[in-house]
PDB file of all heavy atoms in Angstrom:
ATOM      1  N   GLY A  23      -9.735 -20.666  11.626  1.00  0.00           N
ATOM      2  CA  GLY A  23     -10.326 -20.146  10.540  1.00  0.00           C
ATOM      3  C   GLY A  23     -10.233 -21.078   9.260  1.00  0.00           C
ATOM      4  O   GLY A  23      -9.264 -21.673   9.003  1.00  0.00           O
ATOM      5  N   SER A  24     -11.310 -21.105   8.405  1.00  0.00           N
ATOM      6  CA  SER A  24     -11.304 -21.910   7.251  1.00  0.00           C
ATOM      7  C   SER A  24     -11.509 -21.098   6.155  1.00  0.00           C
ATOM      8  O   SER A  24     -11.983 -21.489   5.030  1.00  0.00           O
ATOM      9  CB  SER A  24     -12.529 -22.919   7.359  1.00  0.00           C
ATOM     10  OG  SER A  24     -13.782 -22.222   7.442  1.00  0.00           O
ATOM     11  N   GLY A  25     -11.078 -19.894   6.086  1.00  0.00           N
ATOM     12  CA  GLY A  25     -11.124 -18.936   4.926  1.00  0.00           C
ATOM     13  C   GLY A  25      -9.902 -19.164   4.226  1.00  0.00           C
ATOM     14  O   GLY A  25      -9.315 -20.183   4.098  1.00  0.00           O
ATOM     15  N   PHE A  26      -9.368 -18.007   3.435  1.00  0.00           N
ATOM     16  CA  PHE A  26      -8.277 -18.163   2.530  1.00  0.00           C
ATOM     17  C   PHE A  26      -7.065 -18.605   3.298  1.00  0.00           C
ATOM     18  O   PHE A  26      -6.353 -19.487   2.885  1.00  0.00           O
ATOM     19  CB  PHE A  26      -8.210 -16.936   1.713  1.00  0.00           C
ATOM     20  CG  PHE A  26      -9.164 -16.792   0.634  1.00  0.00           C
ATOM     21  CD1 PHE A  26     -10.232 -15.832   0.708  1.00  0.00           C
ATOM     22  CD2 PHE A  26      -9.034 -17.627  -0.471  1.00  0.00           C
ATOM     23  CE1 PHE A  26     -11.179 -15.792  -0.286  1.00  0.00           C
ATOM     24  CE2 PHE A  26      -9.958 -17.531  -1.574  1.00  0.00           C
ATOM     25  CZ  PHE A  26     -11.072 -16.543  -1.468  1.00  0.00           C
ATOM     26  N   GLY A  27      -6.869 -17.862   4.374  1.00  0.00           N
ATOM     27  CA  GLY A  27      -5.565 -18.181   5.183  1.00  0.00           C
ATOM     28  C   GLY A  27      -5.651 -19.518   5.652  1.00  0.00           C
ATOM     29  O   GLY A  27      -4.674 -20.241   5.584  1.00  0.00           O
ATOM     30  N   ALA A  46     -12.823 -23.900  13.179  1.00  0.00           N
ATOM     31  CA  ALA A  46     -13.448 -22.779  12.422  1.00  0.00           C
ATOM     32  C   ALA A  46     -14.999 -22.716  12.807  1.00  0.00           C
ATOM     33  O   ALA A  46     -15.622 -23.724  13.111  1.00  0.00           O
ATOM     34  CB  ALA A  46     -13.373 -22.933  10.874  1.00  0.00           C
ATOM     35  N   LYS A  47     -15.560 -21.504  12.796  1.00  0.00           N
ATOM     36  CA  LYS A  47     -16.872 -21.333  13.280  1.00  0.00           C
ATOM     37  C   LYS A  47     -17.988 -21.634  12.218  1.00  0.00           C
ATOM     38  O   LYS A  47     -19.155 -21.730  12.636  1.00  0.00           O
ATOM     39  CB  LYS A  47     -17.197 -19.886  13.927  1.00  0.00           C
ATOM     40  CG  LYS A  47     -17.052 -18.826  12.912  1.00  0.00           C
ATOM     41  CD  LYS A  47     -17.471 -17.586  13.523  1.00  0.00           C
ATOM     42  CE  LYS A  47     -17.406 -16.369  12.604  1.00  0.00           C
ATOM     43  NZ  LYS A  47     -17.850 -15.185  13.144  1.00  0.00           N
ATOM     44  N   GLN A  54     -15.278 -15.287  -0.484  1.00  0.00           N
ATOM     45  CA  GLN A  54     -16.054 -14.137  -0.260  1.00  0.00           C
ATOM     46  C   GLN A  54     -16.199 -13.221  -1.436  1.00  0.00           C
ATOM     47  O   GLN A  54     -17.176 -12.514  -1.656  1.00  0.00           O
ATOM     48  CB  GLN A  54     -15.330 -13.250   0.778  1.00  0.00           C
ATOM     49  CG  GLN A  54     -15.583 -13.812   2.141  1.00  0.00           C
ATOM     50  CD  GLN A  54     -14.840 -13.029   3.207  1.00  0.00           C
ATOM     51  OE1 GLN A  54     -13.838 -12.387   3.009  1.00  0.00           O
ATOM     52  NE2 GLN A  54     -15.226 -13.078   4.473  1.00  0.00           N
ATOM     53  N   PRO A  55     -15.063 -13.211  -2.460  1.00  0.00           N
ATOM     54  CA  PRO A  55     -15.277 -12.308  -3.619  1.00  0.00           C
ATOM     55  C   PRO A  55     -16.617 -12.556  -4.409  1.00  0.00           C
ATOM     56  O   PRO A  55     -16.959 -11.742  -5.199  1.00  0.00           O
ATOM     57  CB  PRO A  55     -14.111 -12.590  -4.500  1.00  0.00           C
ATOM     58  CG  PRO A  55     -13.024 -13.097  -3.436  1.00  0.00           C
ATOM     59  CD  PRO A  55     -13.781 -13.794  -2.338  1.00  0.00           C
ATOM     60  N   GLY A  89     -16.280 -24.815  15.701  1.00  0.00           N
ATOM     61  CA  GLY A  89     -16.293 -24.103  16.976  1.00  0.00           C
ATOM     62  C   GLY A  89     -15.899 -22.597  16.766  1.00  0.00           C
ATOM     63  O   GLY A  89     -15.010 -22.424  16.005  1.00  0.00           O
ATOM     64  N   GLU A  90     -16.450 -21.750  17.493  1.00  0.00           N
ATOM     65  CA  GLU A  90     -16.008 -20.382  17.581  1.00  0.00           C
ATOM     66  C   GLU A  90     -14.910 -20.147  18.511  1.00  0.00           C
ATOM     67  O   GLU A  90     -15.254 -20.380  19.686  1.00  0.00           O
ATOM     68  CB  GLU A  90     -17.249 -19.464  17.745  1.00  0.00           C
ATOM     69  CG  GLU A  90     -16.860 -17.932  17.796  1.00  0.00           C
ATOM     70  CD  GLU A  90     -17.915 -17.047  17.725  1.00  0.00           C
ATOM     71  OE1 GLU A  90     -19.134 -17.472  17.603  1.00  0.00           O
ATOM     72  OE2 GLU A  90     -17.716 -15.803  17.551  1.00  0.00           O
ATOM     73  N   VAL A  91     -13.851 -19.696  18.147  1.00  0.00           N
ATOM     74  CA  VAL A  91     -12.648 -19.616  19.145  1.00  0.00           C
ATOM     75  C   VAL A  91     -12.986 -18.358  19.924  1.00  0.00           C
ATOM     76  O   VAL A  91     -13.301 -17.212  19.549  1.00  0.00           O
ATOM     77  CB  VAL A  91     -11.427 -19.293  18.391  1.00  0.00           C
ATOM     78  CG1 VAL A  91     -10.258 -18.960  19.368  1.00  0.00           C
ATOM     79  CG2 VAL A  91     -11.009 -20.662  17.677  1.00  0.00           C
ATOM     80  N   ALA A 120      -5.963 -17.268  11.520  1.00  0.00           N
ATOM     81  CA  ALA A 120      -6.471 -16.741  10.186  1.00  0.00           C
ATOM     82  C   ALA A 120      -7.953 -16.445  10.361  1.00  0.00           C
ATOM     83  O   ALA A 120      -8.768 -16.917   9.680  1.00  0.00           O
ATOM     84  CB  ALA A 120      -6.116 -17.632   9.086  1.00  0.00           C
ATOM     85  N   ALA A 121      -8.361 -15.663  11.275  1.00  0.00           N
ATOM     86  CA  ALA A 121      -9.842 -15.471  11.672  1.00  0.00           C
ATOM     87  C   ALA A 121     -10.458 -14.273  10.806  1.00  0.00           C
ATOM     88  O   ALA A 121     -11.578 -13.979  10.963  1.00  0.00           O
ATOM     89  CB  ALA A 121     -10.055 -15.260  13.064  1.00  0.00           C
ATOM     90  N   GLY A 122      -9.685 -13.640   9.942  1.00  0.00           N
ATOM     91  CA  GLY A 122     -10.306 -12.636   9.049  1.00  0.00           C
ATOM     92  C   GLY A 122     -10.832 -11.313   9.744  1.00  0.00           C
ATOM     93  O   GLY A 122     -10.280 -11.018  10.678  1.00  0.00           O
ATOM     94  N   MET A 140     -21.757  -7.544   3.970  1.00  0.00           N
ATOM     95  CA  MET A 140     -21.619  -8.701   3.037  1.00  0.00           C
ATOM     96  C   MET A 140     -20.334  -9.500   3.339  1.00  0.00           C
ATOM     97  O   MET A 140     -19.288  -9.369   2.730  1.00  0.00           O
ATOM     98  CB  MET A 140     -21.386  -8.071   1.607  1.00  0.00           C
ATOM     99  CG  MET A 140     -22.618  -7.914   0.849  1.00  0.00           C
ATOM    100  SD  MET A 140     -23.004  -9.327  -0.080  1.00  0.00           S
ATOM    101  CE  MET A 140     -21.974  -8.980  -1.449  1.00  0.00           C
ATOM    102  N   LYS A 141     -20.502 -10.301   4.482  1.00  0.00           N
ATOM    103  CA  LYS A 141     -19.254 -11.013   4.813  1.00  0.00           C
ATOM    104  C   LYS A 141     -19.508 -12.456   4.949  1.00  0.00           C
ATOM    105  O   LYS A 141     -18.505 -13.305   4.969  1.00  0.00           O
ATOM    106  CB  LYS A 141     -18.885 -10.507   6.260  1.00  0.00           C
ATOM    107  CG  LYS A 141     -18.139  -9.119   6.302  1.00  0.00           C
ATOM    108  CD  LYS A 141     -16.816  -9.254   5.808  1.00  0.00           C
ATOM    109  CE  LYS A 141     -16.164  -7.988   5.721  1.00  0.00           C
ATOM    110  NZ  LYS A 141     -14.891  -7.987   4.950  1.00  0.00           N
ATOM    111  N   THR A 184     -16.700  -4.334  -3.583  1.00  0.00           N
ATOM    112  CA  THR A 184     -17.861  -4.945  -3.287  1.00  0.00           C
ATOM    113  C   THR A 184     -19.143  -4.059  -3.581  1.00  0.00           C
ATOM    114  O   THR A 184     -19.961  -4.583  -4.065  1.00  0.00           O
ATOM    115  CB  THR A 184     -17.922  -5.352  -1.660  1.00  0.00           C
ATOM    116  OG1 THR A 184     -16.793  -6.189  -1.574  1.00  0.00           O
ATOM    117  CG2 THR A 184     -19.119  -6.001  -1.396  1.00  0.00           C
ATOM    118  N   ASN A 286     -10.906  -9.273  13.192  1.00  0.00           N
ATOM    119  CA  ASN A 286     -11.585 -10.243  14.075  1.00  0.00           C
ATOM    120  C   ASN A 286     -11.083  -9.840  15.544  1.00  0.00           C
ATOM    121  O   ASN A 286      -9.953  -9.573  15.774  1.00  0.00           O
ATOM    122  CB  ASN A 286     -11.138 -11.649  13.808  1.00  0.00           C
ATOM    123  CG  ASN A 286     -11.941 -12.638  14.476  1.00  0.00           C
ATOM    124  OD1 ASN A 286     -11.777 -12.787  15.679  1.00  0.00           O
ATOM    125  ND2 ASN A 286     -12.860 -13.212  13.776  1.00  0.00           N
ATOM    126  N   ILE A 288     -10.299 -11.543  17.970  1.00  0.00           N
ATOM    127  CA  ILE A 288      -9.254 -12.366  18.379  1.00  0.00           C
ATOM    128  C   ILE A 288      -7.980 -11.558  18.519  1.00  0.00           C
ATOM    129  O   ILE A 288      -7.111 -11.699  19.396  1.00  0.00           O
ATOM    130  CB  ILE A 288      -9.047 -13.660  17.580  1.00  0.00           C
ATOM    131  CG1 ILE A 288     -10.224 -14.575  17.805  1.00  0.00           C
ATOM    132  CG2 ILE A 288      -7.738 -14.386  18.034  1.00  0.00           C
ATOM    133  CD1 ILE A 288     -10.259 -15.869  16.911  1.00  0.00           C
ATOM    134  N   GLY A 324      -3.359 -12.784   6.878  1.00  0.00           N
ATOM    135  CA  GLY A 324      -4.585 -12.336   6.268  1.00  0.00           C
ATOM    136  C   GLY A 324      -5.040 -11.007   6.698  1.00  0.00           C
ATOM    137  O   GLY A 324      -4.271 -10.207   7.083  1.00  0.00           O
ATOM    138  N   ASP A 325      -6.337 -10.907   6.767  1.00  0.00           N
ATOM    139  CA  ASP A 325      -7.176  -9.585   7.130  1.00  0.00           C
ATOM    140  C   ASP A 325      -6.854  -9.085   8.541  1.00  0.00           C
ATOM    141  O   ASP A 325      -7.207  -8.055   8.821  1.00  0.00           O
ATOM    142  CB  ASP A 325      -8.699  -9.804   6.868  1.00  0.00           C
ATOM    143  CG  ASP A 325      -9.048  -9.786   5.466  1.00  0.00           C
ATOM    144  OD1 ASP A 325      -8.182  -9.768   4.663  1.00  0.00           O
ATOM    145  OD2 ASP A 325     -10.235  -9.762   5.254  1.00  0.00           O
ATOM    146  N   GLY A 334      -6.218  -5.779   2.577  1.00  0.00           N
ATOM    147  CA  GLY A 334      -7.126  -6.946   2.878  1.00  0.00           C
ATOM    148  C   GLY A 334      -7.616  -7.629   1.817  1.00  0.00           C
ATOM    149  O   GLY A 334      -8.818  -7.559   1.382  1.00  0.00           O
ATOM    150  N   VAL A 335      -6.788  -8.375   1.066  1.00  0.00           N
ATOM    151  CA  VAL A 335      -7.230  -9.177  -0.035  1.00  0.00           C
ATOM    152  C   VAL A 335      -6.815 -10.614   0.111  1.00  0.00           C
ATOM    153  O   VAL A 335      -5.994 -10.999   0.917  1.00  0.00           O
ATOM    154  CB  VAL A 335      -6.521  -8.676  -1.380  1.00  0.00           C
ATOM    155  CG1 VAL A 335      -7.037  -7.208  -1.741  1.00  0.00           C
ATOM    156  CG2 VAL A 335      -5.038  -8.601  -1.315  1.00  0.00           C
ATOM    157  N   ALA A 336      -7.458 -11.516  -0.719  1.00  0.00           N
ATOM    158  CA  ALA A 336      -7.305 -12.950  -0.658  1.00  0.00           C
ATOM    159  C   ALA A 336      -5.754 -13.357  -0.852  1.00  0.00           C
ATOM    160  O   ALA A 336      -5.263 -14.231  -0.009  1.00  0.00           O
ATOM    161  CB  ALA A 336      -8.091 -13.635  -1.714  1.00  0.00           C
ATOM    162  N   ALA A 339      -3.642 -13.127   2.342  1.00  0.00           N
ATOM    163  CA  ALA A 339      -3.952 -14.266   3.267  1.00  0.00           C
ATOM    164  C   ALA A 339      -3.406 -15.582   2.772  1.00  0.00           C
ATOM    165  O   ALA A 339      -2.707 -16.323   3.558  1.00  0.00           O
ATOM    166  CB  ALA A 339      -5.429 -14.456   3.428  1.00  0.00           C
TER     167      ALA A 339
HETATM  168  C1  FAD T 601     -17.732  -9.264  -0.195  1.00  0.00           C
HETATM  169  C2  FAD T 601     -16.178  -9.377  -0.266  1.00  0.00           C
HETATM  170  C3  FAD T 601     -15.637  -9.371  -1.562  1.00  0.00           C
HETATM  171  C4  FAD T 601     -14.199  -9.368  -1.737  1.00  0.00           C
HETATM  172  N1  FAD T 601     -13.678  -9.447  -2.952  1.00  0.00           N
HETATM  173  C5  FAD T 601     -12.338  -9.715  -2.975  1.00  0.00           C
HETATM  174  C6  FAD T 601     -11.682  -9.812  -4.298  1.00  0.00           C
HETATM  175  O1  FAD T 601     -12.325  -9.671  -5.327  1.00  0.00           O
HETATM  176  N2  FAD T 601     -10.356  -9.970  -4.291  1.00  0.00           N
HETATM  177  C7  FAD T 601      -9.625 -10.247  -3.263  1.00  0.00           C
HETATM  178  O2  FAD T 601      -8.436 -10.540  -3.340  1.00  0.00           O
HETATM  179  N3  FAD T 601     -10.187 -10.087  -1.959  1.00  0.00           N
HETATM  180  C8  FAD T 601     -11.477  -9.813  -1.774  1.00  0.00           C
HETATM  181  N4  FAD T 601     -12.099  -9.847  -0.633  1.00  0.00           N
HETATM  182  C9  FAD T 601     -11.228  -9.943   0.540  1.00  0.00           C
HETATM  183  C10 FAD T 601     -10.865 -11.366   0.863  1.00  0.00           C
HETATM  184  O3  FAD T 601     -11.978 -12.178   0.892  1.00  0.00           O
HETATM  185  C11 FAD T 601     -10.205 -11.393   2.123  1.00  0.00           C
HETATM  186  O4  FAD T 601      -9.073 -10.541   2.126  1.00  0.00           O
HETATM  187  C12 FAD T 601      -9.758 -12.714   2.547  1.00  0.00           C
HETATM  188  O5  FAD T 601     -10.892 -13.559   2.739  1.00  0.00           O
HETATM  189  C13 FAD T 601      -8.901 -12.862   3.906  1.00  0.00           C
HETATM  190  O6  FAD T 601      -8.609 -14.056   4.226  1.00  0.00           O
HETATM  191  P1  FAD T 601      -8.573 -14.502   5.774  1.00  0.00           P
HETATM  192  O7  FAD T 601      -8.162 -15.935   5.813  1.00  0.00           O
HETATM  193  O8  FAD T 601      -7.725 -13.517   6.467  1.00  0.00           O
HETATM  194  O9  FAD T 601      -9.977 -14.304   6.251  1.00  0.00           O
HETATM  195  P2  FAD T 601     -11.452 -15.012   5.886  1.00  0.00           P
HETATM  196  O10 FAD T 601     -11.244 -15.542   4.467  1.00  0.00           O
HETATM  197  O11 FAD T 601     -12.390 -14.032   6.136  1.00  0.00           O
HETATM  198  O12 FAD T 601     -11.486 -16.268   6.716  1.00  0.00           O
HETATM  199  C14 FAD T 601     -11.777 -16.082   8.192  1.00  0.00           C
HETATM  200  C15 FAD T 601     -12.118 -17.438   8.768  1.00  0.00           C
HETATM  201  O13 FAD T 601     -12.158 -17.408  10.150  1.00  0.00           O
HETATM  202  C16 FAD T 601     -13.396 -17.940  10.678  1.00  0.00           C
HETATM  203  N5  FAD T 601     -13.605 -17.294  11.887  1.00  0.00           N
HETATM  204  C17 FAD T 601     -13.843 -15.926  12.286  1.00  0.00           C
HETATM  205  N6  FAD T 601     -13.849 -15.804  13.555  1.00  0.00           N
HETATM  206  C18 FAD T 601     -13.715 -17.091  14.087  1.00  0.00           C
HETATM  207  C19 FAD T 601     -13.647 -17.594  15.397  1.00  0.00           C
HETATM  208  N7  FAD T 601     -13.751 -16.740  16.493  1.00  0.00           N
HETATM  209  N8  FAD T 601     -13.379 -18.796  15.619  1.00  0.00           N
HETATM  210  C20 FAD T 601     -13.249 -19.723  14.575  1.00  0.00           C
HETATM  211  N9  FAD T 601     -13.256 -19.303  13.355  1.00  0.00           N
HETATM  212  C21 FAD T 601     -13.528 -17.994  13.073  1.00  0.00           C
HETATM  213  C22 FAD T 601     -14.315 -17.596   9.614  1.00  0.00           C
HETATM  214  O14 FAD T 601     -15.566 -18.322   9.714  1.00  0.00           O
HETATM  215  C23 FAD T 601     -13.577 -17.862   8.307  1.00  0.00           C
HETATM  216  O15 FAD T 601     -13.556 -19.246   8.051  1.00  0.00           O
HETATM  217  C24 FAD T 601     -13.418  -9.664  -0.547  1.00  0.00           C
HETATM  218  C25 FAD T 601     -14.122  -9.564   0.693  1.00  0.00           C
HETATM  219  C26 FAD T 601     -15.417  -9.546   0.794  1.00  0.00           C
HETATM  220  C27 FAD T 601     -16.035  -9.630   2.141  1.00  0.00           C
END
Side-chain angles (χ1 to χ4, degrees):
S24 59
F26 284 106
K47 68 174 181 181
Q54 286 177 337
E90 176 163 5
V91 172
M140 269 270 281
K141 286 284 178 193
T184 303
N286 193 287
I288 293 175
D325 282 3
V335 294

